Amino acid sequence: MCSSDLYSSTPAYRPVLEMHGFGDIHPKLRAMSRRGQWQEMADAFPDELVSELALVGAPEEVGPELVRRYRGVARRVSLNLGPEATPATHRALLRAVRRAATG
């Protein structure tokens, strides 16, 4: 199961989906979650929404975008780089964020 699947199927998040113009997918994804159709949910989750909700890319791309999106909005962020991310990837992202925040 992908975190976006659970996220999109939870009733409390329907307003978030609506805010991004994807409220219409909520009933379908919610029904799929109740049937345990996790892979099908991942396939039905629009790539455009993933791009809207998540930052995807190399650390050099994600760092500046993270600063751009959240500067002045959030005081803290929590990052999930996934289990395959190496310590070097974590360090590279932190460097990219620092560079973008100070440059």
Side-chain angles (χ1 to χ4, degrees), residues 22-91:
F22 289 91
D24 59 320
I25 68 169
H26 182 265
K28 177 182 178 181
L29 295 174
R30 178 131 176 90
M32 293 169 102
S33 74
R34 290 181 173 177
R35 292 189 299 266
Q37 296 177 300
W38 304 113
Q39 183 57 51
E40 292 85 349
M41 286 176 69
D43 295 340
F45 203 85
D47 290 341
E48 300 84 17
L49 186 54
V50 172
S51 297
E52 187 71 26
L53 299 176
L55 298 174
V56 180
E60 301 77 27
E61 300 164 332
V62 171
E65 181 60 15
L66 184 71
V67 171
R68 187 195 69 75
R69 278 193 196 186
Y70 299 109
R71 175 178 267 155
V73 177
R75 293 175 52 162
R76 290 184 194 158
V77 295
S78 176
L79 302 175
N80 179 351
L81 303 183
E84 69 284 348
T86 65
T89 301
H90 286 258
R91 286 190 298 273

Side-chain angles (χ1 to χ4, degrees), residues 88 90-100:
H90 286 258
R91 286 190 298 273
L93 179 57
L94 184 56
R95 278 192 306 273
V97 168
R98 287 181 177 154
R99 207 171 19 252

